[in-house]
Amino acid sequence: MTSFHPETVAGEAPPADSVHPRDSRTDTPTSVSRLNDTIRGFIERWGSVWVEGEITSFNRRGGNVFGRLKDLNTESTVAFRIWSSTLARLPKDFQVGDHVVACVKADYFPRTGDFSFAISAMRHVGLGEQLERLERLRVQLRSEGLFHPVRKKKLPFLPHCIGLITGENSDAEKDVHRNAELRWPRVNFRTKYAAVQGDRCVPETLAALKALDADPEVDVIIIARGGGDPQTLLGFSDERLLRAVAAASTPVVSAIGHENDRPLLDEVADLRASTPTDAAKRVVPDVAEQRALVAQLRARLTGRLTQRVLHDIAQLEQIRSRPSLRTPHAMLTSRAQELWMLSNRGRDIVDRRLEGEQRRTRELSASLRALSPLATLARGYAIAQVEGGAIVRDASQAPAGTGLTITVARGSLTARSEGEIDETPAAPLDGEASGDGVSVGPA
């Protein structure tokens, strides 16, 4: 079935290929291709069905047959085709007007929209009632889940012993043995012979299945016979056999008939093989293929390991070639020289910084001393303070009897004012102003 991957554009109608037929509308139609592909997908799920009718057209063209099959009671007809490969296995006496039952599978051609049925088996009427019973049994077993893939057991990769149920000295037995031994020469078989048609078919096959299923050495069981018409294959659609196969603890492979011979055993078995030869190929692995696979895996493993070792060796050599590992003492020597230079440089910077700060400290000290009142006091001046700490700047601040504290260059002393002296004050000495709180004359 075609896969559609639409690329929609916002604000625009979706492409026709992106619209499923069930979602189509007037403004969002689906495409013819999408419609035909949807029809084909729906039809393909029908599978094969048995149908009864009358041949109204039977035309041979290029080795194939194209015809029509009409309902027995109404005017309904369907088109059918029989490919040359199928026609070679059918009776040669089919003609217009024959009453037949046919196994058909619907086919629909999306490119042209044509519908027809491909016939895989066709028989003259006579099996109608039996086919009806088989169809009812098929529906019942399907509803019970006996056909469901979930319940089917997985075959072992390499069975140690294969149980084979087949006719004695049959071509099916030879085909299974020959093809299995070609693929795996040391394969072991445990064969139980049973009638593969007639009244003895079901009981003998049931007994053989029970014996092989109870054998702990048997890993898988193959039920095989050659092709045949539906009448001869009825034993392999018997309900007793089908339920026994479904209940078996050992995986069972159905290898009944050719590709288009489909007894119900094919549906119940854990694996369906189209022929006995196909069963041998599906059950036993090919020793040559396995040896080639082992050789391939060993070569891949050897290549991966070699690549990993070479990669690790290259990485190790790269690490060893680094200077830190090749000549570690050279690295220490260069670092020691660099450390010595940085240490000397730091020491010089610190010394210069200390020397500059000491010089600045001396300059600031000299400036401080020059601005300090102590320098003035050291030249013989004094500071007079009344009680409370106020500095005497005017003689009227210290009338007679006022207690004074006189601060000189070294220490302080107390005195008592005799009052203001009435005389013209002398000019300030040494250029000192009298307004700085210092006495007008040397102490």
Short mmCIF file of all heavy atoms in Angstrom, two decimals, residues 83-117:
data_model
loop_
_atom_site.label_atom_id
_atom_site.label_comp_id
_atom_site.label_asym_id
_atom_site.label_seq_id
_atom_site.Cartn_x
_atom_site.Cartn_y
_atom_site.Cartn_z
N TRP A 83 -3.80 -17.79 -13.00
CA TRP A 83 -2.47 -17.68 -13.59
C TRP A 83 -2.01 -19.05 -14.09
O TRP A 83 -2.48 -20.10 -13.63
CB TRP A 83 -1.46 -17.13 -12.58
CG TRP A 83 -1.78 -15.76 -12.07
CD1 TRP A 83 -1.95 -15.40 -10.78
CD2 TRP A 83 -1.95 -14.57 -12.84
NE1 TRP A 83 -2.23 -14.06 -10.68
CE2 TRP A 83 -2.23 -13.52 -11.95
CE3 TRP A 83 -1.90 -14.29 -14.21
CZ2 TRP A 83 -2.46 -12.22 -12.36
CZ3 TRP A 83 -2.13 -12.98 -14.63
CH2 TRP A 83 -2.40 -11.96 -13.72
N SER A 84 -1.08 -19.04 -15.00
CA SER A 84 -0.62 -20.28 -15.63
C SER A 84 -0.03 -21.25 -14.61
O SER A 84 -0.20 -22.47 -14.74
CB SER A 84 0.42 -19.97 -16.71
OG SER A 84 1.52 -19.25 -16.15
N SER A 85 0.65 -20.73 -13.58
CA SER A 85 1.24 -21.61 -12.57
C SER A 85 0.18 -22.35 -11.79
O SER A 85 0.35 -23.52 -11.42
CB SER A 85 2.12 -20.79 -11.61
OG SER A 85 1.35 -19.76 -11.01
N THR A 86 -0.96 -21.70 -11.53
CA THR A 86 -2.07 -22.35 -10.85
C THR A 86 -2.83 -23.28 -11.80
O THR A 86 -3.25 -24.38 -11.42
CB THR A 86 -3.03 -21.30 -10.27
OG1 THR A 86 -2.31 -20.43 -9.40
CG2 THR A 86 -4.18 -21.96 -9.51
N LEU A 87 -2.98 -22.83 -13.05
CA LEU A 87 -3.73 -23.61 -14.02
C LEU A 87 -3.08 -24.98 -14.26
O LEU A 87 -3.78 -25.97 -14.51
CB LEU A 87 -3.81 -22.83 -15.34
CG LEU A 87 -4.76 -23.37 -16.42
CD1 LEU A 87 -6.19 -23.38 -15.91
CD2 LEU A 87 -4.63 -22.54 -17.69
N ALA A 88 -1.75 -25.06 -14.14
CA ALA A 88 -1.06 -26.33 -14.38
C ALA A 88 -1.43 -27.37 -13.34
O ALA A 88 -1.28 -28.58 -13.59
CB ALA A 88 0.45 -26.09 -14.39
N ARG A 89 -1.88 -26.93 -12.15
CA ARG A 89 -2.22 -27.88 -11.09
C ARG A 89 -3.71 -28.23 -11.05
O ARG A 89 -4.12 -29.04 -10.23
CB ARG A 89 -1.80 -27.31 -9.73
CG ARG A 89 -0.30 -27.14 -9.58
CD ARG A 89 0.08 -26.70 -8.18
NE ARG A 89 -0.19 -25.28 -7.96
CZ ARG A 89 -1.22 -24.80 -7.29
NH1 ARG A 89 -2.12 -25.62 -6.79
NH2 ARG A 89 -1.39 -23.50 -7.12
N LEU A 90 -4.52 -27.57 -11.85
CA LEU A 90 -5.96 -27.80 -11.85
C LEU A 90 -6.34 -28.86 -12.89
O LEU A 90 -5.61 -29.09 -13.87
CB LEU A 90 -6.69 -26.49 -12.15
CG LEU A 90 -6.50 -25.34 -11.15
CD1 LEU A 90 -7.30 -24.12 -11.61
CD2 LEU A 90 -6.91 -25.76 -9.76
N PRO A 91 -7.49 -29.49 -12.70
CA PRO A 91 -8.00 -30.41 -13.75
C PRO A 91 -8.14 -29.68 -15.08
O PRO A 91 -8.36 -28.47 -15.14
CB PRO A 91 -9.35 -30.86 -13.19
CG PRO A 91 -9.23 -30.68 -11.72
CD PRO A 91 -8.35 -29.47 -11.51
N LYS A 92 -8.02 -30.46 -16.16
CA LYS A 92 -8.02 -29.84 -17.49
C LYS A 92 -9.41 -29.74 -18.11
O LYS A 92 -9.54 -29.24 -19.24
CB LYS A 92 -7.12 -30.67 -18.43
CG LYS A 92 -5.73 -30.95 -17.90
CD LYS A 92 -4.94 -29.66 -17.65
CE LYS A 92 -3.53 -29.98 -17.15
NZ LYS A 92 -2.77 -28.75 -16.85
N ASP A 93 -10.45 -30.20 -17.42
CA ASP A 93 -11.76 -30.31 -18.06
C ASP A 93 -12.74 -29.23 -17.67
O ASP A 93 -13.95 -29.39 -17.84
CB ASP A 93 -12.36 -31.68 -17.73
CG ASP A 93 -12.49 -31.92 -16.23
OD1 ASP A 93 -11.84 -31.15 -15.45
OD2 ASP A 93 -13.20 -32.84 -15.81
N PHE A 94 -12.26 -28.10 -17.16
CA PHE A 94 -13.19 -27.02 -16.82
C PHE A 94 -13.70 -26.37 -18.09
O PHE A 94 -12.95 -26.14 -19.05
CB PHE A 94 -12.51 -25.97 -15.92
CG PHE A 94 -12.27 -26.43 -14.52
CD1 PHE A 94 -10.98 -26.60 -14.04
CD2 PHE A 94 -13.32 -26.71 -13.67
CE1 PHE A 94 -10.75 -27.02 -12.76
CE2 PHE A 94 -13.11 -27.13 -12.38
CZ PHE A 94 -11.81 -27.30 -11.92
N GLN A 95 -14.99 -26.03 -18.10
CA GLN A 95 -15.60 -25.39 -19.26
C GLN A 95 -16.80 -24.56 -18.80
O GLN A 95 -17.24 -24.66 -17.66
CB GLN A 95 -16.03 -26.42 -20.29
CG GLN A 95 -17.01 -27.45 -19.77
CD GLN A 95 -17.33 -28.52 -20.79
OE1 GLN A 95 -16.99 -28.41 -21.96
NE2 GLN A 95 -18.00 -29.58 -20.34
N VAL A 96 -17.31 -23.75 -19.72
CA VAL A 96 -18.47 -22.91 -19.42
C VAL A 96 -19.65 -23.80 -19.05
O VAL A 96 -19.94 -24.80 -19.71
CB VAL A 96 -18.81 -22.01 -20.62
CG1 VAL A 96 -20.10 -21.25 -20.37
CG2 VAL A 96 -17.67 -21.06 -20.91
N GLY A 97 -20.36 -23.44 -17.99
CA GLY A 97 -21.51 -24.19 -17.52
C GLY A 97 -21.22 -25.13 -16.37
O GLY A 97 -22.15 -25.67 -15.76
N ASP A 98 -19.91 -25.32 -16.03
CA ASP A 98 -19.56 -26.22 -14.93
C ASP A 98 -19.96 -25.61 -13.59
O ASP A 98 -19.84 -24.39 -13.36
CB ASP A 98 -18.05 -26.50 -14.93
CG ASP A 98 -17.66 -27.50 -16.00
OD1 ASP A 98 -18.56 -28.05 -16.66
OD2 ASP A 98 -16.44 -27.72 -16.18
N HIS A 99 -20.42 -26.49 -12.70
CA HIS A 99 -20.75 -26.12 -11.32
C HIS A 99 -19.51 -26.39 -10.48
O HIS A 99 -19.09 -27.54 -10.34
CB HIS A 99 -21.95 -26.94 -10.85
CG HIS A 99 -22.42 -26.59 -9.48
ND1 HIS A 99 -23.38 -27.31 -8.82
CD2 HIS A 99 -22.08 -25.56 -8.64
CE1 HIS A 99 -23.60 -26.78 -7.63
NE2 HIS A 99 -22.82 -25.72 -7.51
N VAL A 100 -18.89 -25.35 -9.90
CA VAL A 100 -17.58 -25.49 -9.24
C VAL A 100 -17.59 -24.79 -7.89
O VAL A 100 -18.46 -23.95 -7.60
CB VAL A 100 -16.45 -24.91 -10.12
CG1 VAL A 100 -16.34 -25.65 -11.43
CG2 VAL A 100 -16.67 -23.42 -10.34
N VAL A 101 -16.60 -25.17 -7.12
CA VAL A 101 -16.23 -24.39 -5.92
C VAL A 101 -14.79 -23.97 -6.11
O VAL A 101 -13.97 -24.75 -6.61
CB VAL A 101 -16.41 -25.20 -4.61
CG1 VAL A 101 -17.86 -25.43 -4.30
CG2 VAL A 101 -15.66 -26.52 -4.68
N ALA A 102 -14.48 -22.73 -5.77
CA ALA A 102 -13.14 -22.19 -6.01
C ALA A 102 -12.66 -21.42 -4.78
O ALA A 102 -13.46 -20.79 -4.08
CB ALA A 102 -13.16 -21.27 -7.23
N CYS A 103 -11.37 -21.52 -4.57
CA CYS A 103 -10.71 -20.72 -3.53
C CYS A 103 -10.22 -19.44 -4.19
O CYS A 103 -9.34 -19.49 -5.06
CB CYS A 103 -9.55 -21.48 -2.90
SG CYS A 103 -8.73 -20.58 -1.57
N VAL A 104 -10.81 -18.31 -3.83
CA VAL A 104 -10.50 -17.06 -4.51
C VAL A 104 -9.97 -16.04 -3.50
O VAL A 104 -10.30 -16.08 -2.31
CB VAL A 104 -11.75 -16.48 -5.21
CG1 VAL A 104 -12.27 -17.44 -6.26
CG2 VAL A 104 -12.85 -16.15 -4.20
N LYS A 105 -9.15 -15.15 -4.00
CA LYS A 105 -8.62 -14.04 -3.20
C LYS A 105 -8.82 -12.76 -3.99
O LYS A 105 -8.41 -12.66 -5.14
CB LYS A 105 -7.14 -14.23 -2.89
CG LYS A 105 -6.58 -13.15 -1.99
CD LYS A 105 -5.13 -13.43 -1.63
CE LYS A 105 -4.61 -12.35 -0.68
NZ LYS A 105 -3.20 -12.59 -0.32
N ALA A 106 -9.49 -11.81 -3.37
CA ALA A 106 -9.80 -10.55 -4.05
C ALA A 106 -8.54 -9.76 -4.33
O ALA A 106 -7.60 -9.75 -3.52
CB ALA A 106 -10.76 -9.72 -3.19
N ASP A 107 -8.52 -9.12 -5.49
CA ASP A 107 -7.38 -8.28 -5.85
C ASP A 107 -7.91 -7.03 -6.54
O ASP A 107 -8.82 -7.10 -7.37
CB ASP A 107 -6.43 -9.03 -6.78
CG ASP A 107 -5.04 -8.41 -6.77
OD1 ASP A 107 -4.84 -7.38 -6.07
OD2 ASP A 107 -4.14 -8.94 -7.44
N TYR A 108 -7.34 -5.91 -6.19
CA TYR A 108 -7.77 -4.61 -6.72
C TYR A 108 -6.55 -3.89 -7.26
O TYR A 108 -5.52 -3.82 -6.60
CB TYR A 108 -8.44 -3.81 -5.61
CG TYR A 108 -9.04 -2.50 -6.06
CD1 TYR A 108 -10.28 -2.45 -6.68
CD2 TYR A 108 -8.35 -1.30 -5.86
CE1 TYR A 108 -10.83 -1.26 -7.09
CE2 TYR A 108 -8.90 -0.10 -6.27
CZ TYR A 108 -10.14 -0.08 -6.89
OH TYR A 108 -10.68 1.11 -7.28
N PHE A 109 -6.66 -3.37 -8.47
CA PHE A 109 -5.53 -2.70 -9.12
C PHE A 109 -5.72 -1.19 -8.98
O PHE A 109 -6.59 -0.60 -9.66
CB PHE A 109 -5.45 -3.09 -10.59
CG PHE A 109 -5.21 -4.57 -10.79
CD1 PHE A 109 -6.28 -5.45 -10.92
CD2 PHE A 109 -3.93 -5.07 -10.83
CE1 PHE A 109 -6.07 -6.79 -11.11
CE2 PHE A 109 -3.70 -6.43 -11.01
CZ PHE A 109 -4.77 -7.30 -11.15
N PRO A 110 -4.95 -0.52 -8.09
CA PRO A 110 -5.17 0.91 -7.85
C PRO A 110 -4.96 1.78 -9.08
O PRO A 110 -5.59 2.82 -9.21
CB PRO A 110 -4.14 1.25 -6.75
CG PRO A 110 -3.78 -0.07 -6.15
CD PRO A 110 -3.91 -1.07 -7.22
N ARG A 111 -4.09 1.36 -10.00
CA ARG A 111 -3.78 2.22 -11.15
C ARG A 111 -4.98 2.36 -12.08
O ARG A 111 -5.25 3.43 -12.61
CB ARG A 111 -2.58 1.66 -11.91
CG ARG A 111 -2.07 2.58 -13.01
CD ARG A 111 -0.79 2.03 -13.62
NE ARG A 111 -1.03 0.76 -14.29
CZ ARG A 111 -1.47 0.65 -15.55
NH1 ARG A 111 -1.71 1.74 -16.26
NH2 ARG A 111 -1.64 -0.53 -16.09
N THR A 112 -5.72 1.25 -12.27
CA THR A 112 -6.86 1.28 -13.19
C THR A 112 -8.20 1.20 -12.49
O THR A 112 -9.25 1.44 -13.11
CB THR A 112 -6.76 0.11 -14.18
OG1 THR A 112 -6.77 -1.13 -13.44
CG2 THR A 112 -5.47 0.18 -14.98
N GLY A 113 -8.22 0.84 -11.20
CA GLY A 113 -9.48 0.70 -10.48
C GLY A 113 -10.22 -0.58 -10.82
O GLY A 113 -11.41 -0.70 -10.53
N ASP A 114 -9.53 -1.57 -11.44
CA ASP A 114 -10.17 -2.83 -11.80
C ASP A 114 -10.18 -3.77 -10.61
O ASP A 114 -9.22 -3.83 -9.83
CB ASP A 114 -9.44 -3.48 -12.97
CG ASP A 114 -9.57 -2.65 -14.24
OD1 ASP A 114 -10.59 -1.93 -14.38
OD2 ASP A 114 -8.65 -2.70 -15.07
N PHE A 115 -11.24 -4.57 -10.50
CA PHE A 115 -11.42 -5.49 -9.39
C PHE A 115 -11.67 -6.89 -9.94
O PHE A 115 -12.47 -7.06 -10.86
CB PHE A 115 -12.61 -5.04 -8.54
CG PHE A 115 -12.93 -5.96 -7.40
CD1 PHE A 115 -12.27 -5.84 -6.18
CD2 PHE A 115 -13.87 -6.97 -7.54
CE1 PHE A 115 -12.57 -6.68 -5.14
CE2 PHE A 115 -14.16 -7.82 -6.50
CZ PHE A 115 -13.52 -7.69 -5.30
N SER A 116 -10.96 -7.87 -9.39
CA SER A 116 -11.17 -9.25 -9.81
C SER A 116 -10.73 -10.17 -8.71
O SER A 116 -10.21 -9.73 -7.67
CB SER A 116 -10.41 -9.56 -11.11
OG SER A 116 -9.01 -9.51 -10.87
N PHE A 117 -10.92 -11.48 -8.95
CA PHE A 117 -10.52 -12.50 -7.98
C PHE A 117 -9.51 -13.43 -8.63
O PHE A 117 -9.70 -13.87 -9.76
CB PHE A 117 -11.74 -13.31 -7.51
CG PHE A 117 -12.67 -12.55 -6.63
CD1 PHE A 117 -13.70 -11.79 -7.16
CD2 PHE A 117 -12.51 -12.57 -5.25
CE1 PHE A 117 -14.56 -11.08 -6.34
CE2 PHE A 117 -13.37 -11.88 -4.43
CZ PHE A 117 -14.40 -11.11 -4.98
#
